[in-house]
Amino acid sequence: MRRKIYGIFVAGGSGTRMGGDIPKQFLPLDGRPILQCSIERFLEAEPDMKIITVLPKTHFQTWKDLCAIHSFHCPQTLVAGGLTRFHSVQM
C-alpha cells in the first residue's frame, strides 16, 4: 500500500518587507499567483499529493477568490497560520 504524501505550503507572510500592498504569495507570476504556481509544480511531480495551505485567516477568502478567478481547482485544506513563521510551522 502506498503512503499518502502531503505538501504543506506555508504562505502566511504579509509582504511587508517587499513594501507592497499585496502579500507576495498572491503576486502574479506568469499571470497566476505565485502560490498557485508553486503548488502546481509540486502536483506535476506528485499528482496525488494532499495539499495543506497555511495562510493568515484574514486571507482565506482572498485565496479562494484567486483560485476561482484563475480556475485553480485544487482540493486543499486551509490552515490558519501563527503569529510568525515559527508558529505557523510548529502547528
Side-chain angles (χ1 to χ4, degrees), residues 4-52:
K4 289 184 182 177
I5 297 174
Y6 292 87
I8 303 173
F9 294 84
V10 182
S14 62
T16 54
R17 288 182 297 182
M18 288 187 63
D21 295 333
I22 301 170
K24 65 182 169 237
Q25 63 269 30
F26 302 138
L27 291 174
L29 177 65
D30 197 25
R32 297 180 324 276
I34 290 173
L35 180 55
Q36 177 182 344
C37 294
S38 299
I39 293 171
E40 287 173 339
R41 294 297 80 78
F42 278 83
L43 286 172
E44 284 176 9
E46 192 60 53
D48 295 328
M49 180 184 299
K50 307 296 181 204
I51 304 298
I52 299 170

